[in-house]
Every structure is written in C-alpha cells, then in structure tokens.
Amino acid sequence: MTALEAASVERIGAIYPSLSGKRVLITGGASGIGAALVEAFAGQGASVAFVDLDVAAGDRLEARLATTRFVPCDLRDVEALQGCIGMISSALGGIDILLNNAANDDRHHLADVTPAYWDERMATNLRHLFFATQAVVPAMRAAGGGAIVNFGSISWHLGLPDLVLYQTAKAAIEGLTRGLARDLGRDNIRVTTIVPGNVQTPRQQKWYSPEGEAEIMGAQCLSGRIQPDDVAALALFLASDDARMCTGHEYFVDAGWR
C-alpha cells in the first residue's frame, strides 16, 4: 500500500464527550486543513461555524455538512471580522472554542517586498488572530472558560526559502500564544499553537515537484505524508477537556521533519 493509499483509509478517531454541544468558530475553514477541522468538530457533535474569503468553497462545504454554518468574511478587515464574530456568537449563544487557522503562504522575494505588501501579509497571517481572540474572550469569560487554538508553521523552524514574511508572522504567533495564555489563564481560557509540518493539501501540492516531495519524505522521521485529518486530530484533543492543563505552548504534528 502506498502512502497516499494508506492516507485514504478511513480511520476511527477518538471521541471527546466534552466537545459535544460546544460552540466552535474556525477561521479559514473552507478548504485544506480548515475544512478538515470543520468536519472533525462537527463529527464530535459541536455547533460549528466557519469563516473564509472563498465563498464558493465555503458554500460547498456548508452544503455537504448541513449542521455547520458558513459566513463569508475577509479577515484582513478587522471591523468586518469582529462584526462576523459578533453575529456568529449571537446565533450560537456564545463561542467556547476558537481555531485561528486562516493563513496564506504565497512565496515572495526579499527585494520585491514593499511596505504595503508587508502590511497585507501581516494582516493575512497574524493580525486577525489577535482581534478574533479579542472578540471571543467576553463570551468565553461569561461561560467560565474556553479554548483558543492558533496555527503556526514548521517553516520558520526550518528557515525555508522565499517565505520571510510568512515565517515572521508564524514565529510571532507562538509569542502571541504565550502572552495570551498568561493574560487569559485565570479566566480558564487556554491558548495553544499547533505547528503543522508539510500537510498534503491541494494548495501545498502546487509548490512541490516529485523531487521536492521526496526531499520532504527523506527529512521526516516517519514515512508517509501528513494529512489534514492528522492536524485535526491534534486540534480536537487540545480543544477538549482532556487537555485542560495544556496552555501557552506549541504542539507539533510534522512527522519529525528536520
């Protein structure tokens, strides 16, 4: 069986009773890892809402998972983002779990970066995590606690080429996580970061040749390509009560990529 065939075999994952009925918001939920998160939390019996800029993909996922709610939103617009979150919170009766997943890893060259592009990349990959958190905290405090799961990247740990702005933002997310965990911990709000390795999504496939794929596989400790479901499995644990003493740190799902 090839690695791709193995990845396609249906796996029976863990069931977390504490996630049933929880009100979950996922950013960038229309495709890739985000879509796997939407499906995984819906499968736990949670009330799931997700936002994304890709309206067509969001509509398709909402149609397929009829129990979920899709709200189109450009996360770079902080006022619009917080308005969407307010609407979702009102519809769900609050938000217990926030997954700050949305990001964009477009490649770029150092010499081509302008101040405007810098600002746009930070708005796309960093700023919205803080302001989404700011928007959900009052409801979490009122409910007696909550969980915020941010998404980092293996890229800055490895120092990959042509990603300096993306890596700057993703490195900052780990610092953001630690600061928020300290400020929110006494409110019983946990804040963690997932650091995915190279996850086999259609978007990531466009960046790598067969030779590049082989290089990644050779650098991993484990054979096989990481799937979106592998990342979602970790997110389920970190958001559940089973992880009640996990906060302020990053957790890798990278097959030991070095």
Side-chain angles (χ1 to χ4, degrees):
M1 180 181 293
T2 68
L4 281 175
E5 289 170 338
S8 69
V9 174
E10 184 176 355
R11 291 172 294 178
I12 300 174
I15 299 298
Y16 296 95
S18 64
L19 294 178
S20 179
K22 286 294 176 70
R23 300 156 299 185
V24 180
L25 171 60
I26 299 166
T27 69
S31 61
I33 292 172
L37 295 172
V38 171
E39 188 161 2
F41 278 88
Q44 296 284 329
S47 297
V48 180
F50 65 102
V51 297
D52 204 289
L53 189 60
D54 188 339
V55 175
D59 285 342
R60 287 194 299 271
L61 184 59
E62 183 183 43
R64 184 166 66 84
L65 301 174
T67 60
T68 65
R69 178 189 301 263
F70 169 55
V71 179
C73 186
D74 185 344
L75 303 182
R76 295 169 297 185
D77 183 337
V78 171
E79 184 176 354
L81 167 63
Q82 294 197 324
C84 286
I85 291 174
M87 180 179 65
I88 291 167
S89 183
S90 294
L92 298 182
I95 295 173
D96 303 301
I97 298 166
L98 168 65
L99 295 110
N100 277 316
N101 164 72
N104 181 290
D105 63 348
D106 281 353
R107 272 52 174 173
H108 47 269
H109 298 295
L110 181 66
D112 297 332
V113 174
T114 64
Y117 187 65
W118 168 281
D119 290 344
E120 191 277 333
R121 289 292 87 187
M122 294 304 117
T124 297
N125 292 314
L126 176 61
R127 187 177 66 185
H128 63 85
L129 281 78
F130 176 86
F131 287 102
T133 297
Q134 185 185 66
V136 302
V137 161
M140 289 184 177
R141 283 179 172 147
I148 298 165
V149 182
N150 297 323
F151 282 75
S153 171
I154 192 69
S155 63
W156 80 267
H157 291 273
L158 298 176
L160 300 180
D162 299 328
L163 284 167
V164 64
L165 299 191
Y166 180 75
Q167 291 175 147
T168 297
K170 288 300 187 178
I173 287 169
E174 293 185 26
L176 176 69
T177 293
R178 296 196 179 205
L180 289 172
R182 176 60 68 187
D183 288 348
L184 299 175
R186 300 305 178 190
D187 295 309
N188 195 34
I189 299 172
R190 300 183 296 104
V191 189
T192 55
T193 293
I194 290 177
V195 182
N198 192 278
V199 182
Q200 194 174 38
T201 65
R203 177 173 174 80
Q204 289 302 316
Q205 289 294 96
K206 78 176 186 177
W207 298 121
Y208 294 101
S209 64
E211 293 76 18
E213 292 266 324
E215 185 178 351
I216 291 169
M217 293 282 290
Q220 292 180 174
C221 297
L222 298 174
S223 299
R225 296 287 270 111
I226 305 163
Q227 300 301 309
D229 287 349
D230 297 316
V231 182
L234 179 55
L236 291 175
F237 168 71
L238 289 174
S240 76
D241 289 353
D242 292 55
R244 68 185 187 88
M245 286 298 173
C246 296
T247 196
H249 291 286
E250 57 275 3
Y251 299 84
F252 287 72
V253 53
D254 67 346
W257 190 11
R258 298 290 185 269

